[in-house]
Amino acid sequence: MAVDLLLGLQWGDEGKGKIVDVLTKNYDIIARFQGGPNAGHTLEFDGIKHVLHTIPSGIFHDNAMNVIGNGVVIDPVIFNRELNNLNKFEGIDYKSKLIISRKAHLILPTHRLLDAASEASKGKAKIGSTLKGIGPTYMDKTGRNGIRVGDLELTDWKDRYATLRDKHLTMIDYYDAKIEFDLDELESEFFAAIKVLKSLRFIDSEEYLYQAQKSGKTILAEGAQGSLLDIDFGTYPYVTSSNTTAAGACTGLGVPPNQIGDVFGIFKAYTTRVGSGPFPTELFDEAGETMGRVGNEFGATTGRPRRCGWLDLVALKYAVRVNGVTQLMMMKGDVLSGFDTLKVCTSYNYKGKEIDHLPYNIEPENVEVVYKEMAGWSEDLTGMTEASQLPKELNNYIDYLEKELETPIKIVSVGPDRTQTIHR
Ligand code: GDP
Ligand code: IMO
Ligand code: MG
C-alpha cells in the first residue's frame, strides 16, 4: 500500500490537525515526519478543543497507531505535558497507540536557550521563532552532535549530554543578548520528563513502516508547518529548520519516493502567517482585522496574533508544484462569509515585470500584488454538511481555484469541529 501525505501549503496553521483527525478512520497508521513542538495542531470534537505539538493527530481514534518518525525533534518536557493532557481524557490509552523512532533527535533545555539568545541578538532581523529550540536542535543533527531517542537506551548518554550542554553554555555566552535561566531547574524538569519518555515504546520506525506497508496497512504521513516555511523552498531565512514539503516525508520516515500515494495539500481560503518574513498579500486594514477576529487567528503554540491577508495564488501554485499535490482541501471558508468582494492574488509585478511564479526574493520592495476580484457570499456556512448547500459565489471561488491550481478541491472545511467538514 502507498503512503499518503498531508501537508500545509502556506505558512502553517492551515488546519492540518483537524483534517488528519477527520481522515484517521481510513488509516492504520498516522506518522509525523518533521518539525517538533513548534507545531500546534488543533482538533475539536464533542465540544472539546485539543492542541497537539509532537503527538500525531490520530491519537484520539482507536483504529490507528501513531508514529513519531526519525525526522521529528522531541522536547521531552513539552511531550510530557502533552501526555498529561491526554491523561485527562479517560479512555485515551496512549501507551499502546504511540511509538517513537529511535532516530528522532532530542531538544535539550540548552537548545531552547540558544534559540532565545540567537533571536534576541538578531534584533529587528529576528525570525520570529517559536523559541522551542528547533533551529539549534536541527543544527546539532546536521552537525552530527545530536542526541537521539535511541541513545537513551545506552549507558553513556548522560556524558554525551553533559558535553553538549557545556558547549551550548559557551555558545550562549558568545551572544551579546544576555538571557536569564536556572539550569538546575531546567535540568531537573528535563530528566524527569526523560523518565516518562522512556516508558514509551521506541522502534526502528523505517523498518516498522516497511513491514506495515508490506502487510497491507494504510499509512498517512502528517506534515507540520507549511511549504513556505520549508528550509529549502520557503521564504528563507524566515523559515523553519526542516523540509516541510513532500520530500521531507521520505527522509523523515524512510519511505521511498515510489511508495508515495496521494499528496493532500491543505490551504486556508485566505492566508495567515505568524512570525517575521515577507507576506505579499498581507492586509493592514479592516478586512485583515476581520479575518483575524472571525478566524480566531492566534498561534496554537505561542498565542501570538497571526498576520492575515488574501489568498495568494502565486505562492499556492508554487506549493502545489513543489509537493506534487493530488488533492486539495480548503479550510476556513466560513471565515470569509460576509465579505461583499473577495480578492485573490493572481500575479506579482516583480521589478516592473508581471510574473506568475514565486521569485527568489518576495520582499515588499520587489513585489507589487495584482488582484482579481470575486463576488463574496453572506450565508453562514458553519451548519452546512453537504456540497449542494454551498452558496453559488463560494462554488465559483472553488471552481476558479481548481482551474488555476489544476487540482481538485475534495474537502471544504466550514468550522473547527470534526463534523464541519464537507466532502466533494
Ligand atoms: P494546523 O497547525 O495546521 O493544525 O492548524 P492550527 O490548529 O494551528 O490552526 C487552525 C485553526 O483553525 C485551529 O484553531 C482550528 O480549530 C481552526 N479551524 C480549522 N478548520 C477550520 C474551519 O474550517 N473554520 C474555522 N472557523 N476554523 C477552523
Ligand atoms: P504548524 O504545524 C505556523 C514559524 C514561526 C517562525 C518560523 C520559525 O502548527 O502549522 P521555529 O520555531 O521553527 O524556529 O520558527 O516558523 N512556525 C510556524 N508557523 N505554524 C507552525 O506549525 C509553525 N512552526 C514554526 O512562527 O516564523
Ligand atoms: Mg498550528
Side-chain angles (χ1 to χ4, degrees), residues 9 40 48 56 70 75 107 125 136 160 212 297 300 332 335 349 364 375 388 398 408 412:
L9 299 181
I48 302 175
N70 57 279
D75 183 332
I107 302 177
R160 291 195 33 230
E297 295 295 357
K332 300 190 104 160
V335 175
N349 265 328
S388 58
I398 291 171
V412 177

Side-chain angles (χ1 to χ4, degrees), residues 12-17 38-42 51-52 225 298-301 306:
D13 303 330
E14 296 87 354
K16 298 175 290 293
N38 48 350
H41 293 182
T42 314
V51 181
L52 298 169
Q225 289 79 55
F298 294 93
T301 295
R306 296 176 183 142

